[in-house]
Amino acid sequence: MTLAVVFALVAAFSNAVNLLTQHAASIRAPKREKGWRLGVYLVRQPLWLLGVGAAVGSYVFQALALHNGPMSVVQPVLITELVFVLVLRRVWIRQDVARAAWAAVFIVCASLAVFLAAAEPSGGKPAPATAEWLSAVLVFGGAIALLAAVGWRGNPVRRAAAFAAAAALCWAMEATFLKAATDTLASFGIPGMLLRWPVYALVGAVVTGTLLQQAALHVGPLSVSQPILVITDPFASIILSVWLFDERFTNSPVKIAIAVAAFAVMAFGVTVLTRTAPQHLDPSPAPGPSPAPGPSPAPGTSPAPGTSSPPGGP
């Protein structure tokens, strides 16, 4: 269990590095670089390549976490990606972070710890039955298709929410396929994994989830889509962990109530964090004294060469 949590934290940190580096490299690209030229430009940028490496590392560490522990532990821990992003914004980009965002970080971390301690997730089986796979894929696939259809019409808020929910369900399915593919790899090696379906289902889920997530980010505000993406994924993953892998939680009604309350508080903290974190990647200006105003030119004269006109001037 401890190893799974450690790997999940490293995966969350890697994905935070991926998000910031690739975003930073993209927005720093010259305006003339568009379409395929932008792709050619980015693959030559060390910062963007660092993000690609971090993205690969995120998948590897998530796979290791899922192989070594319950999905109901790993997926909620991945929420800490938001915390790592905020820390990197402060330490690396030198952005000022609002106190409300740091308070939200504390709420998210504390409620996550309470949830895991109270719920006591455990157990699980490596190979769900075929009937269980079919039922989960049909139900979740139908929900994803329905939400994607809803996202085609309506106001931007509703469209972003629908696409984000569909993407989050897709990422939850991706986690189950990743866990199954990793177990197949451990049992049969690379040739055996390539002869079985989980790895191809994983690729399909990644492609579909990416398209839905990009649609959510494109059609509506980030303040709507990001909380839904971050919260729905672990919630759906917990459902799938019980459905497919037979993972179990505590039998104590009191602890279950505490766990549910902690998850709700965590969702609240995530919402506050996504809305109070910096909305851009520009570093905050360094504090310093304001330049002293110079003497105004005499009436009827022009400012000295190389200076600007005083306020209210021509």
Side-chain angles (χ1 to χ4, degrees):
M1 182 76 73
T2 301
L3 197 59
V5 171
V6 171
F7 281 136
L9 288 171
V10 177
F13 176 77
S14 299
N15 205 38
V17 172
N18 164 49
L19 289 174
L20 284 184
T21 52
Q22 293 205 354
H23 189 113
S26 297
I27 64 176
R28 292 175 187 176
K31 298 296 183 183
R32 64 178 181 275
E33 305 291 353
K34 297 180 180 179
W36 65 269
R37 289 189 178 89
L38 177 60
V40 173
Y41 171 85
L42 289 175
V43 297
R44 294 180 293 175
Q45 304 305 309
L47 190 63
W48 190 84
L49 293 175
L50 173 62
V52 172
V56 173
S58 177
Y59 272 103
V60 171
F61 286 115
Q62 184 185 4
L64 290 171
L66 290 169
H67 184 64
N68 286 278
M71 194 166 73
S72 52
V73 170
V74 174
Q75 295 304 107
V77 170
L78 292 179
I79 287 178
T80 56
E81 169 193 323
L82 294 176
V83 177
F84 288 124
V85 166
L86 197 70
V87 172
L88 287 172
R89 283 175 176 271
R90 183 69 187 94
V91 174
W92 177 31
I93 305 181
R94 304 291 183 183
Q95 288 185 313
D96 291 333
V97 177
R99 291 182 180 179
W102 291 123
V105 164
F106 174 79
I107 291 172
V108 170
C109 293
S111 56
L112 174 61
V114 171
F115 168 77
L116 294 176
E120 299 177 359
S122 61
K125 58 185 180 182
T130 302
E132 293 171 337
W133 276 119
L134 287 175
S135 62
V137 169
L138 286 174
V139 171
F140 271 70
I144 291 168
L146 178 61
L147 287 167
V150 171
W152 282 106
R153 296 182 181 275
N155 61 66
V157 171
R158 192 183 79 172
R159 295 183 67 195
F163 277 129
L169 294 182
C170 205
W171 291 131
M173 289 300 299
E174 176 266 340
T176 66
F177 297 144
L178 179 60
K179 183 176 178 64
T182 305
D183 292 338
T184 302
L185 174 63
S187 300
F188 303 102
I190 294 178
M193 180 185 70
L194 295 176
L195 292 174
R196 288 165 174 82
W197 65 268
V199 66
Y200 302 105
L202 171 63
V203 173
V206 169
V207 173
T208 305
T210 300
L211 292 174
L212 290 169
Q213 181 170 314
Q214 292 304 312
L217 297 175
H218 177 72
V219 302
L222 184 65
S223 60
V224 172
S225 58
Q226 191 172 23
I228 294 175
L229 282 165
V230 174
I231 291 300
T232 306
D233 180 1
F235 181 74
S237 296
I238 290 171
I239 295 174
L240 287 168
S241 72
V242 176
W243 190 341
L244 292 174
F245 299 104
D246 200 29
E247 295 179 11
R248 291 290 180 261
F249 298 90
T250 178
N251 293 323
S252 169
V254 174
K255 289 185 176 181
I256 288 293
I258 294 173
V260 170
F263 195 94
V265 172
M266 183 172 62
F268 168 76
V270 166
T271 303
V272 173
L273 179 54
T274 56
R275 295 182 178 180
T276 56
Q279 301 299 309
H280 55 79
L281 291 182
D282 298 327
S284 300
S290 301
S296 299
T301 64
S302 300
T307 64
S308 57
S309 300

